[in-house]
Amino acid sequence: MRLHRARALLLQTSLSILEIAIACGFRTPPHFAKCYRDLFGYPPSGERGQKCKKPFASVPLLTVPHLQSVAPNVEYCGNA
């Protein structure tokens, strides 16, 4: 699901919320934020505030080659 992919990108990269929204197929950041909030109970910016401060057990890790097509030069958090 694209929102789960977006969550993984929020947790594991330094991409902006706009870049993640577009990479995951959303046309506008407000629509992305609404869908994200509806599914997870908080906005994408709330997820980003927790970056690197909680375990990623519930988030599937993305491999670096997978991200290279979306974000070739990003910082990764954790073991990704």
Side-chain angles (χ1 to χ4, degrees), residues 5-19:
R5 179 171 179 245
R7 184 170 188 237
L9 289 171
L10 282 165
L11 290 171
Q12 298 174 17
T13 73
S14 61
L15 292 171
S16 71
I17 292 173
L18 172 63
E19 291 169 317

Side-chain angles (χ1 to χ4, degrees), residues 4 7-8 11-12 40 42 47 54-61:
H4 290 284
R7 184 170 188 237
L11 290 171
Q12 298 174 17
F40 295 112
Y42 45 86
E47 188 79 78
K54 63 182 179 182
F56 303 127
S58 63
V59 179
L61 292 177

Side-chain angles (χ1 to χ4, degrees), residues 21-65:
I22 291 169
C24 292
F26 292 90
R27 291 187 181 189
T28 66
H31 179 65
F32 167 63
K34 180 190 181 316
C35 292
Y36 195 95
R37 190 178 314 109
D38 289 348
L39 181 64
F40 295 112
Y42 45 86
S45 59
E47 188 79 78
R48 186 50 66 80
Q50 295 297 316
K51 184 178 178 187
C52 297
K53 295 180 183 172
K54 63 182 179 182
F56 303 127
S58 63
V59 179
L61 292 177
L62 297 175
T63 62
V64 173

